[in-house]
């Protein structure tokens, strides 16, 4: 595993991030088209549980009909392998719920 305290370059992020995640400055963002509030809440619950387990906490906004997830390693001022790992986990939860990811 890459050093979780090392910030990644834009190129490294582009190669490693799941489809649908976009880099905006020092943040990695994805919007998940949940279609309804209950599915969005289920997605937030799954991402939240995984974030707690990883001790790495994203910003999550739940609205009807989407969930927006923003990742950044504030302690090092950029995107790290921790963010990439959690992005993959979040995308996996979305896929399991049948939720599409769109541009962030």
């Amino acid at each position: 595993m890459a050093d979780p305290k090392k910030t990644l370059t834009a190129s490294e992020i582009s190669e490693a991030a799941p489809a649908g995640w976009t880099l905006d400055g020092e943040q990695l963002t994805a919007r998940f088209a949940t279609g309804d509030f209950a599915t969005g809440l289920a997605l937030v619950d799954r991402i939240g549980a995984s974030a707690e387990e990883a001790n790495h906490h994203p910003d999550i906004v739940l609205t009807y009909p989407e969930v927006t997830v923003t990742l950044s390693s504030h302690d090092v001022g950029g995107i790290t392998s921790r963010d990439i790992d959690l992005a993959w986990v979040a995308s996996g939860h979305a896929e399991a719920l049948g939720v599409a990811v769109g541009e962030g």
Side-chain angles (χ1 to χ4, degrees):
M1 180 174 151
D3 180 356
K5 296 286 188 175
K6 177 190 173 287
T7 57
L8 302 174
T9 66
S11 177
E12 290 171 324
I13 294 164
S14 176
E15 290 176 17
W21 288 81
T22 58
L23 180 62
D24 181 21
E26 295 177 353
Q27 297 180 331
L28 193 58
T29 301
R31 290 193 175 134
F32 297 93
T34 58
D36 62 71
F37 192 79
T39 303
L41 187 58
L43 179 59
V44 169
D45 186 51
R46 290 179 184 198
I47 294 170
S50 294
E52 277 296 305
E53 186 176 303
N55 194 30
H56 190 57
H57 305 100
D59 293 331
I60 302 175
V61 178
L62 168 63
T63 60
Y64 176 82
E66 70 181 19
V67 171
T68 303
V69 180
T70 303
L71 295 164
S72 181
S73 294
H74 302 289
D75 58 336
V76 296
I79 306 300
T80 68
S81 63
R82 293 175 290 169
D83 301 298
I84 299 296
D85 292 346
L86 194 51
W88 278 102
V89 169
S91 289
H93 289 316
E95 183 178 345
L97 290 168
V99 172
V101 62
E103 292 290 310

